[in-house]
Amino acid sequence: MAAAFDELECLEALEDLDAADQQDIPRRCITDRMNLFHSLHDEEFIKRFRLSKTTALNLLDKLQIQGTRDGRGSPVPPHLQLLITLRWMATGSFQLTIADSFDVSQQLVSKCTAKIVRAIASLLQDYVKRPSREHFSNIRNNYFEMSGFPGVLGAVDCTHVPIQSPGGARAEKFRCRKGFFSLNVQAACGPNLEFFDFVCRWPGSVHDSRIFNNSRLFFDLQHDLLEGHHLLGDPAYPLLPFLLTPVANPVGQREVRYNISHSKARNTIERAFGVLKMRFRCLTIPLKINLTTVMATICSAAVLHNMAVKYKEDLYMCNDDGAEESVNIEENIEHFVNAAGRQKRNNIINEYFS
């Protein structure tokens, strides 16, 4: 009888120990996994997430992301939510592929990307803004050294970002002239490829000139620009005193030299779009998410691009699939020429390219 009593005491003691051990064991938490900020070198980190570790941590501080849980109930820390989103933007991979690589659920990837791109897009006005007048001279001089074109403050153009059909009665408005559904995104940049104006809300069928004529940039240039300064645009834009376009049918060497110089300077916006799409491959495939999140994704890509330019982040990539196509000269809208714009263009041709 005494032996049986001792065995019961031993069993109760073992159960108490098991209960204590179970209380000490933490719940499965993704933060216990290998921290990519520590395990990857800077170059490896940039290849995967398009930002350096320092820039990503600075961005994390600005976003103030709250922790969340995936479909399995596991806590997902803010830094991992950011890395999931950056990886999705950098590769454009299926969400399930991203989920498998981070050992989270596909639902979590969908939730994280939608939340984080909106948070990053909210920084658009902080990182995409026009240069101050104090910087005009530096920008103008950089463009002149680059191309020989005087008075340039930047270049403006549009690019199509493919999307899935939004459905509904207005779906065909998003079909661009190349036959796929898209958003027509307008941007302006300076000589260092940093965007200072970004418009992302127009369907793909809308013409570049209409987007420009209805933009805040157009209004601001009309009322607040130093005399003798201007943007450069391709033949899809109207010729205005503050927006110079190439000569559609150049006659003589002066106009040919003007067009060559104009092309060299305007090339900055085409290169900027190319770098943007190389950094974030999600912009090169039809985005299978709702339209609001698509716009937030594109705007967040512009914010991250400017951060990378500002902090001189290297782009460790070896191809240029995202290079923009030049606009067909037959699509010009020279019939919208403004008399003052024509006079200004003629003066520049005669003074600088004769």
Side-chain angles (χ1 to χ4, degrees):
M1 195 70 180
F5 183 75
D6 291 340
E7 289 179 1
L8 285 174
E9 284 187 339
C10 289
L11 287 174
E12 289 176 356
L14 288 173
E15 288 177 356
D16 291 340
L17 286 173
D18 288 341
D21 290 341
Q22 289 177 1
Q23 289 178 358
D24 293 337
I25 296 174
R27 296 183 61 185
R28 190 178 80 86
C29 182
I30 293 177
T31 51
D32 290 337
R33 298 183 60 200
M34 184 168 54
N35 191 331
L36 297 177
F37 281 97
H38 296 155
S39 62
L40 296 177
H41 298 300
D42 285 336
E43 182 175 337
E44 294 174 332
F45 193 91
I46 293 176
K47 281 182 178 179
R48 288 160 176 78
F49 304 108
R50 303 301 189 256
L51 296 177
S52 69
K53 290 186 280 188
T54 301
T55 303
L57 290 172
N58 289 338
L59 176 62
L60 192 63
D61 290 338
K62 292 179 182 296
L63 296 180
Q64 297 181 343
I65 306 166
Q66 299 298 318
T68 188
R69 294 182 182 276
D70 71 359
R72 308 162 189 171
S74 302
V76 182
H79 81 271
L80 190 55
Q81 295 181 55
L82 177 62
L83 294 184
I84 288 171
T85 303
L86 292 179
R87 186 62 177 161
W88 171 73
M89 293 179 65
T91 63
S93 297
F94 290 112
Q95 291 182 348
L96 185 59
T97 304
I98 302 296
D100 290 342
S101 64
F102 283 94
D103 192 23
V104 295
S105 65
Q106 184 272 329
Q107 292 80 4
L108 175 79
V109 174
S110 177
K111 185 189 301 184
C112 281
T113 53
K115 180 175 75 171
I116 302 301
V117 295
R118 283 175 169 81
I120 298 174
S122 68
L123 303 175
L124 188 69
Q125 293 184 346
D126 296 330
Y127 284 93
V128 181
K129 51 188 177 183
R130 283 187 298 151
S132 61
R133 288 177 177 268
E134 290 76 16
H135 293 92
F136 277 10
S137 60
N138 289 336
I139 296 173
R140 181 189 61 217
N141 292 339
N142 288 339
Y143 268 112
F144 190 78
E145 292 175 4
M146 177 195 310
S147 63
F149 205 103
V152 180
L153 292 182
V156 62
D157 201 359
C158 287
T159 187
H160 289 275
V161 176
I163 61 172
Q164 68 175 353
S165 172
R170 298 181 63 250
E172 285 303 311
K173 291 183 178 293
F174 290 86
R175 192 183 296 278
C176 69
R177 59 185 174 81
K178 297 180 181 180
F180 58 86
F181 295 99
S182 72
L183 286 174
N184 198 3
V185 179
Q186 176 183 281
C189 77
N192 63 345
L193 311 187
E194 184 175 359
F195 296 121
F196 61 79
D197 186 79
F198 205 82
V199 179
C200 175
R201 64 174 182 272
W202 292 88
S205 64
V206 178
H207 197 275
D208 297 3
S209 62
R210 181 183 173 192
I211 297 175
F212 180 72
N213 291 337
N214 288 276
S215 67
R216 179 61 183 267
L217 179 63
F218 176 84
F219 178 84
D220 290 345
L221 291 172
Q222 277 186 312
H223 298 90
D224 184 28
L225 187 66
L226 293 177
E227 185 177 354
H229 293 77
H230 37 260
L231 295 181
L232 301 183
D234 62 27
Y237 289 94
L239 175 61
L240 300 166
F242 49 83
L243 177 61
L244 298 183
T245 59
V247 178
N249 299 294
V251 178
Q253 289 300 310
R254 291 183 301 176
E255 293 184 351
V256 170
R257 285 193 289 268
Y258 167 89
N259 276 3
I260 293 174
S261 179
H262 185 284
S263 178
K264 288 181 180 179
R266 185 175 58 82
N267 182 255
T268 53
I269 186 61
E270 295 180 357
R271 288 164 50 211
F273 282 142
V275 171
L276 178 71
K277 291 183 178 182
M278 279 195 293
R279 275 199 168 101
F280 304 108
R281 290 295 185 180
C282 67
L283 304 183
T284 64
I285 59 175
L287 292 167
K288 295 177 171 39
I289 49 181
N290 67 66
L291 201 55
T292 303
T293 307
V294 169
M295 294 180 183
T297 300
I298 299 170
C299 290
S300 64
V303 171
L304 297 174
H305 168 86
N306 273 13
M307 292 182 71
V309 172
K310 179 179 179 181
Y311 299 120
K312 297 180 171 56
E313 308 279 304
D314 292 323
L315 183 60
Y316 293 105
M317 305 189 72
C318 58
N319 54 33
D320 55 358
D321 298 41
E324 290 296 295
E325 298 179 4
S326 59
V327 174
N328 192 325
I329 197 70
E330 295 177 359
E331 295 178 0
N332 72 80
I333 53 172
E334 193 79 3
H335 53 281
F336 288 120
V337 165
N338 174 282
R342 183 186 292 277
Q343 183 61 47
K344 181 175 181 178
R345 185 171 71 180
N346 290 339
N347 290 341
I348 290 176
I349 291 173
N350 293 329
E351 183 175 353
Y352 290 92
F353 301 102
S354 59

